[in-house]
Amino acid sequence: MTSANPTYPSEQSGPEARTLPLAGIRVVEFTHMVMGPTCGMTLGDLGADVIKVEPLAGDSTRKLLGSGAGFYPLFNRNKKSIAVDLKSPQGREIVLKLIATADIVSENFKTETMQKLGLDYASLSKLDPRLIYVSHKGFLPGPYDHRTALDEVVQMMGGLAYMTGRPGDPLRAGSSVNDIMGGIFGAVGAMAALMQRQQTGKGQEVQSALFENNIFLVAQHMMQFAVTGKAAAPMPERISPWGIYDVFSVKDNEQIFLAVVGDGQWKTFCEAFGYANLFADPRVTTNNDRVLARSWLIPELRTRLAQFSRTELSQRFEHVGLPFAPITDPQHLFEDPHLQATGGLAPMELPDGRQTQVPLLPLTLGGERLGLRLDPPKLGEHTDALLQSLGYSADEVAALHAQGVVL
């Protein structure tokens, strides 16, 4: 455990850093892509000393293009990297020594892969009964657990793509929602296991899975059917519970989401825009009236509001306290004034040396955001320091490099 390994102090040595809730906890992770790395990122942001064990070629997400280009820098901050050939006896010995200093092992590889390496929970728990082992899979044990899962796979089979797209046109969500949330649930399970270990002195295996995470996300629609007896309609076709709850196209080809979700807000809206005739119309007196009148009310409002710019509508809605949201591309969020003012973005250096900013976990502890302690590591950046902390001499470290065991 890290508390028993004083020869390798972590970056959590300053007075502020020591207040992080997981300071003194060491995590060794064998992860790639998004789900497993998200678990380690979450634990690392909370103060844990996270060691990323990579193959000599590196985590494959380091080289992804397109929509995968941001995976590595986002989900691997606040970690150290050691690059090891796990198929070599010396590499496996190094990893087992490293695990002996750990509180938590986290992985998201196939079960057979970890078993062949002797790095599965059954093998490692015999060496350390206090070890907590977090396994991120496509499915929890059952009829599907032999299948290969991806975020998009479980979105399609788990109802989320159906709910997101239009009828007959299933559409995946615009983010790796199951991978990310699955990793966070893995971290939640790890923290729960840490608390239980304080009571029992024993570790345990924690399992988190993409499919079950997706089911949790669509559970509200499942329960809608249980309560009403009617199947939930896809979100673009749903019957909104609110009369005005829509995206409007306005001046200069801009778009904005506007909502008027109650009778009090309807009064406020009509007063703010001088729509006395609409407010007096008996066909739209109550919210339910306005829901039933959407077929003519929304086109009428589209015509009236099209004369305004997005900025004008934003200012007017904000002034009177009505819900609104300019439709924003992700890249423009780097300049978002709220994120900038509240410390929601932290300066970060990419592995290639370029400077950027990165969004932090969406929470505060004691009124402060959880910041960046370590930039996403270069491949094998901490290999030598970690080997020395495990008792390897400088000559032994050099020999391991020469033999191609480590990078």
Side-chain angles (χ1 to χ4, degrees):
M1 313 302 174
T2 47
S3 56
N5 184 31
T7 60
Y8 190 70
S10 72
E11 284 73 20
Q12 304 152 7
S13 57
E16 293 183 3
R18 282 199 300 269
T19 64
L20 292 174
L22 295 186
I25 297 296
R26 172 168 281 184
V27 180
V28 174
E29 68 168 35
F30 303 86
T31 69
H32 63 147
M33 300 303 285
V34 175
M35 190 182 188
T38 298
C39 176
M41 178 204 71
T42 303
L43 298 172
D45 282 10
L46 289 166
D49 186 25
V50 182
I51 313 300
K52 183 178 181 68
V53 179
E54 299 190 63
L56 298 183
D59 183 333
S60 60
T61 58
R62 289 178 176 272
K63 303 172 184 177
L64 289 182
L65 303 176
S67 60
F71 288 174
Y72 183 80
L74 175 58
F75 301 115
N76 291 283
R77 63 177 185 236
N78 286 334
K79 299 179 185 180
K80 303 184 182 76
S81 168
I82 179 172
V84 184
D85 178 7
L86 288 177
K87 295 180 180 179
S88 70
Q90 298 122 304
R92 186 172 177 278
E93 179 183 15
I94 290 168
V95 165
L96 289 175
K97 286 184 177 180
L98 192 59
I99 291 173
T101 72
D103 299 277
I104 299 168
V105 166
S106 175
E107 59 87 18
N108 68 321
F109 283 89
K110 290 184 177 179
T111 301
E112 311 84 70
T113 300
M114 302 307 286
Q115 288 173 339
K116 288 179 182 178
L117 293 170
L119 298 175
D120 57 306
Y121 177 66
S123 300
L124 296 180
S125 62
K126 293 176 183 177
L127 302 176
D128 181 7
R130 288 176 53 82
L131 185 68
I132 293 163
Y133 191 96
V134 187
S135 182
H136 302 86
K137 302 301 181 188
F139 306 90
L140 293 180
Y144 296 159
D145 63 10
H146 66 284
R147 298 184 185 181
T148 300
L150 298 168
D151 201 317
E152 197 149 341
V153 168
V154 300
Q155 287 192 40
M156 295 292 172
M157 68 184 293
L160 184 57
Y162 171 83
M163 290 303 303
T164 304
R166 299 184 185 281
D169 185 22
L171 181 68
R172 69 156 287 162
S175 176
S176 303
V177 289
N178 291 299
D179 276 311
I180 294 169
M181 286 187 61
I184 292 172
F185 276 120
V188 170
M191 290 184 282
L194 282 172
M195 294 183 68
Q196 195 163 50
R197 190 178 72 177
Q198 292 179 343
Q199 303 166 9
T200 66
K202 296 180 180 179
Q204 60 185 292
E205 183 177 13
V206 174
Q207 294 183 325
S208 176
L210 292 173
F211 179 64
E212 282 73 10
N213 182 84
N214 188 92
I215 300 308
F216 186 72
L217 285 173
V218 300
Q220 67 189 81
H221 306 302
M222 296 170 64
M223 298 312 295
Q224 177 184 340
F225 176 77
V227 170
T228 67
K230 297 180 181 180
M235 296 300 281
E237 299 296 323
R238 74 195 186 284
I239 298 176
S240 173
W242 313 113
I244 303 170
Y245 202 77
D246 225 315
V247 175
F248 291 81
S249 295
V250 294
K251 287 176 66 174
D252 301 322
N253 295 317
E254 293 184 316
Q255 291 181 305
I256 186 170
F257 172 80
L258 303 174
V260 180
V261 297
D263 294 339
Q265 288 191 359
W266 173 245
K267 181 175 185 292
T268 299
F269 170 75
C270 289
E271 290 176 348
F273 288 88
Y275 296 160
N277 59 332
L278 271 182
F279 187 69
D281 192 324
R283 297 175 297 171
V284 290
T285 300
T286 69
N287 177 72
N288 286 349
D289 291 335
R290 293 187 292 277
V291 170
L292 297 175
R294 278 178 61 87
S295 61
W296 66 265
L297 177 60
I298 295 302
E300 173 68 18
L301 290 177
R302 291 194 192 285
T303 299
R304 294 191 182 203
L305 296 174
Q307 63 180 297
F308 297 97
S309 69
R310 187 172 70 174
T311 298
E312 290 169 335
L313 287 171
S314 296
Q315 291 174 343
R316 195 169 302 195
F317 266 63
E318 185 167 16
H319 178 71
V320 297
L322 293 175
F324 71 97
I327 308 304
T328 305
D329 295 344
Q331 68 269 20
H332 293 133
L333 294 173
F334 284 110
E335 288 80 43
D336 184 273
H338 182 82
L339 292 176
Q340 292 287 348
T342 60
L345 301 172
M348 186 177 79
E349 182 177 300
L350 297 170
D352 63 9
R354 288 180 295 153
Q355 300 296 317
T356 186
Q357 292 179 304
V358 66
L360 298 174
L361 285 183
L363 56 86
T364 64
L365 292 179
E368 295 184 4
R369 299 296 288 263
L370 296 166
L372 189 73
R373 296 177 291 110
L374 291 172
D375 293 316
K378 299 178 178 64
L379 177 60
E381 181 177 343
H382 306 92
T383 295
D384 290 5
L386 285 165
L387 289 174
Q388 291 166 11
S389 76
L390 296 173
Y392 289 87
S393 68
D395 289 343
E396 289 172 323
V397 171
L400 289 168
H401 279 288
Q403 296 163 12
V405 177
V406 299
L407 181 68

